[in-house]
Each structure stands twice: as structure tokens, then as C-alpha cells.
Amino acid sequence: MSLSENLEQILSPAKVSQNKTILEQHSHDESYHTPKMPDVVVFPESVEDVVAVVNYARAAKIPLVPFGAGTSLEGHVVPVRGGISVDMSRMNRVLDIRPDDLAVHVQAGVTRLKLDAELRRHGLFFPVDPGADATLGGMASTNASGTTTVRYGAMRDNVRQLEVVLADGSLIRVGSRTAKSSSGYQLASLFVGAEGTLGVITSLWLRVYGRPEAIVAAAAQFPTLDAAVRASTTMVGAGVGVARVEFVEAPYLDAVNRFRGTSYSLTPTLFLEVHGSEPGVMAELALAETIANDEGCLAFSHVREEEVRNRLWEARHNALLAFMAQYPGHRHMSTDVCVPLSELPEAIRHARNELDNLSVKGAIIGHVGDGNFHVSIAFRPEDEEESSRVEEFGQRVVTQALSVGGTCTGEHGVGIGKRRYQAQEHGDSLYVMRAIKATLDPFGIMNPGKLVDP
């Protein structure tokens, strides 16, 4: 029997597809990396389905790639060696909400916005916000973070317990539903950020938070890039209770204005958000404005209404779409690095200088409150000379970040695109990572060609 016929027998025909459109959808993510068709796509609806698929893949030594929403940015879900794409979208139930424990139990295919809608009825929210409506399983796999990391942390900080199917078909639970534990190895942290190379996440217990009494958003405009970044790092260093502090440079704002009809001033800008009690929020905002003024802030404005705040952050989240709309026929490359806060102004200045020196079409945006920034680049892969300049730019930015104690990726993950920098960043500890991979996945079937693979 063929691969699809075997899987149809193990699962059911309704859970298996070789439709060309479905295969194409699972051949790529949102990155520039070359698509590759899987041989078949399966849609498990239960843990038992996942175990059955993994057992079959192990016995047949067929590659297996977990697939969430396909919103990753470094080729994580591209089945570079073909095989089975395991689409988790049908495992999309919120299993349990426990307000008294500030915890929620979800299947891996639940999306971020669906979870938020469920939690809102209980006065709760889940803070990790990568922008895209990604699945929670996918967000855990890449250790996603985003605009709120400066206050609430990344996925690794908010995952309490995971249910994972290993490459040998065994189902394990790692972590604890408690707020803390000193018992045993912290295996949950191992699987968060493993990018599907060690197992398939099927469900997660997540930490959630009470919705704050008051939320105020603000925009601060600065005369120079350095002044804006210095203001952000000073705010964090001074303990200002910002829940978000985002840097957007002028080329991005220009693109957003033209794309959405807004009228942002074309100066380096910080977008801020403060959460807390009514008097507390206003006190924190006043301190943030004082720090901004010390750096020569040109204008500082704030908004309270939820609809207006949402429009402000919608502009931030849609900045990439706005940027790429300027370059029809181009592909998008987004590189992100993270550096110690003290090194951030120089790192961003270096990135801007390299964009100019190499004549690369790019703009900088970032979660500067935690030292993480992104460079969005528009280029044409078929233009070898342009692609070479883009490649050179990426290498220079990563090399500079690593030279000051940073990392090649703060939140996008390694996938295919950042794999080349793993030895440079991790040194001999990369051998430990590969030993773990070989122990848990001796046949190399779990998302091969990614992360720590040579």
C-alpha cells in the first residue's frame, strides 16, 4: 500500500490528504525559505491519533513535521525531507480554565485569539503576543514572545506543563501545574523552543493573568534613533512598569501611513503601554514621559480608549504588511537578534548603517524593552546580486550581536535560517544539544534539517 493508504487505514480517510492545494499550504511558512511539499498531510483529532502517526513514522523511518498555523519566520514547518506534515488544527479545544489557579489547559491547535476570547469571559488574558494568530503549540515550539515580553516574559516563562508524544510513540507529561517546582530536571523548558525536533506537543497548561484595571498606551517621538533607544532602555532600567515598549523607525512609519492612511510623524518613535491600577498607571506614564523628555522627546501623547489603543497596536502589528506592500513581487526576510540592554543602541545603529552601506531595502522595528529588534527586508531571490547583499547583511547583524554577548534570534527561532550560527553561538554546548536530540530521536524523524542538525 502507499503511504497515504497506510495512514488512512491507521487513522481514517477524512484525516489524511494528498490534495495538491493542501500539500502546497504545508510546504512553507511566512519566510523566504524555499518551499518543499510534504508527501502527505494528516489531521489528528486526538492524542491517540498523534501516537499512531508517530509510531507509523518511526517504524517506516519517515520524516514527520508538526504544523500549527504556518506563521513561523525561519522555515520551521518546511518539510525539507518530505514525509508527513502533522497539522494540529483540529486539536483546538480549550480543555479547562481555572481562574483561581490562574491557569488554562489547551490543546496544541488552539490559536492565541481563540484563547483570548475564552479567557475574556473570566476576566483573564494570556499575555504572549507575537502578532500573528499562531497556535499555542506552535508558539511553545518556537518559544514565541512579542510586544508584552518586557513585563510578562516569553512562552517559556508562561508554560507550566506540556503533554508531548516522543519519537518512540510514548506520551509524557513534563513540568508541573504549580507556580514553581524544584523537583527533577526542568524538561518543560527543554521542549519549549525545541521546534518540534524532540516530539509533538499535544496539550499545554499555561499561566494566565487577571485583566488590568487600567491600560494606557502612548507614543513618544524622538529626534534620533539613538535617543529613542536610550529612552527605552532607561525606562526599563528605572523600573517603569511598561507592559510594552516598541521601537519603530521612520521608514516603517512612512509605510504604515501610506498603507493605512494614518499620519504618524516620520521620526523614530516608541510605542508604550502601561498596565495596572488607575493611579498607578498614570504615575508610571508620567515617569516614562519624564525619561523621554530627558532624551529630547519631540512629542509625547497617550490614549486610554480601548478602540483607539487597538488601532495603535494594529498599526504596529500590520507594519510588516505595510512595509512589503511597497515592494510588489519581492519576498520578505525578517532577521531578529537580541542583545544585552546596554548594547542595544549600538546594535540598532550598526544595523541601520549596514542597511545603508549594503543598499538593502529594509527597516527596523523591535521589542526594545527586552533588547530584541527585527529588521524586515524586501528582496528578490532570483536576483543573485541582491540576494548576496541581503545574506551579507544578515551575517553582519548576527556577528555583531554575538560579539557583544547576544543571540542570533530573540524570538523567531532557529529553524532553517539561523541554523548556520548555532556553533558560533553555543560552542561545545551544541554537542550536548545534539546528544539530547540523538537520544530522544535516534532515527532523526522529528522535523529533520532544523535547529541543531548539522
Side-chain angles (χ1 to χ4, degrees), residues 106-268:
V106 299
Q107 289 184 310
V110 173
T111 63
R112 180 179 64 87
L113 293 182
K114 177 177 179 176
L115 176 61
D116 187 67
E118 294 283 341
L119 292 175
R120 183 179 289 270
R121 296 182 299 192
H122 299 270
L124 302 170
F125 78 108
F126 182 67
V128 182
D129 176 14
D133 189 21
T135 63
L136 277 305
M139 288 169 61
S141 290
T142 57
N143 189 32
S145 54
T147 59
T148 60
T149 308
V150 63
R151 174 162 180 172
Y152 299 103
M155 282 299 289
R156 186 171 281 119
D157 304 298
N158 291 284
V159 171
R160 288 188 169 172
Q161 188 178 74
L162 293 170
E163 183 180 73
V164 184
V165 179
L166 300 181
D168 65 359
S170 59
L171 177 69
I172 64 170
R173 290 179 179 85
V174 293
S176 169
R177 284 171 46 203
T178 57
K180 61 180 181 179
S181 172
S182 296
S183 176
Y185 297 127
Q186 298 301 299
L187 295 181
S189 292
L190 176 64
F191 287 95
V192 176
E195 302 181 7
T197 62
L198 299 179
V200 181
I201 297 172
T202 55
S203 74
L204 317 84
W205 276 95
L206 302 170
R207 179 185 182 186
V208 295
Y209 299 77
R211 290 187 177 270
E213 173 191 339
I215 301 176
V216 178
Q221 300 161 18
F222 294 86
T224 66
L225 180 153
D226 280 10
V229 178
R230 280 197 308 268
S232 73
T233 57
T234 302
M235 288 176 195
V236 174
V240 179
V242 286
R244 309 184 201 228
V245 52
E246 299 285 301
F247 169 76
V248 185
E249 70 165 348
Y252 246 133
L253 292 169
D254 183 42
V256 170
N257 284 345
R258 286 186 280 134
F259 186 70
R260 300 192 61 82
T262 50
S263 55
Y264 291 110
S265 176
L266 301 185
T267 58

Side-chain angles (χ1 to χ4, degrees), residues 49-124:
D49 284 349
V50 176
V51 170
V53 170
V54 172
N55 279 331
Y56 174 78
R58 182 191 71 254
K61 296 184 176 56
I62 295 173
L64 182 153
V65 182
F67 187 98
T71 57
S72 53
L73 292 169
E74 287 293 356
H76 300 84
V77 299
V78 178
V80 292
R81 298 177 190 167
I84 305 168
S85 182
V86 184
D87 187 311
M88 302 297 289
S89 61
R90 294 185 189 175
M91 294 182 65
N92 61 358
R93 290 187 297 129
V94 177
L95 300 170
D96 195 0
I97 299 175
R98 302 207 175 180
D100 292 343
D101 293 331
L102 293 175
V104 62
H105 189 200
V106 299
Q107 289 184 310
V110 173
T111 63
R112 180 179 64 87
L113 293 182
K114 177 177 179 176
L115 176 61
D116 187 67
E118 294 283 341
L119 292 175
R120 183 179 289 270
R121 296 182 299 192
H122 299 270
L124 302 170

Side-chain angles (χ1 to χ4, degrees), residues 314-326:
E314 185 180 323
R316 161 62 182 89
H317 285 322
N318 286 328
L320 171 58
L321 294 176
F323 175 75
M324 290 305 297
Q326 303 174 107

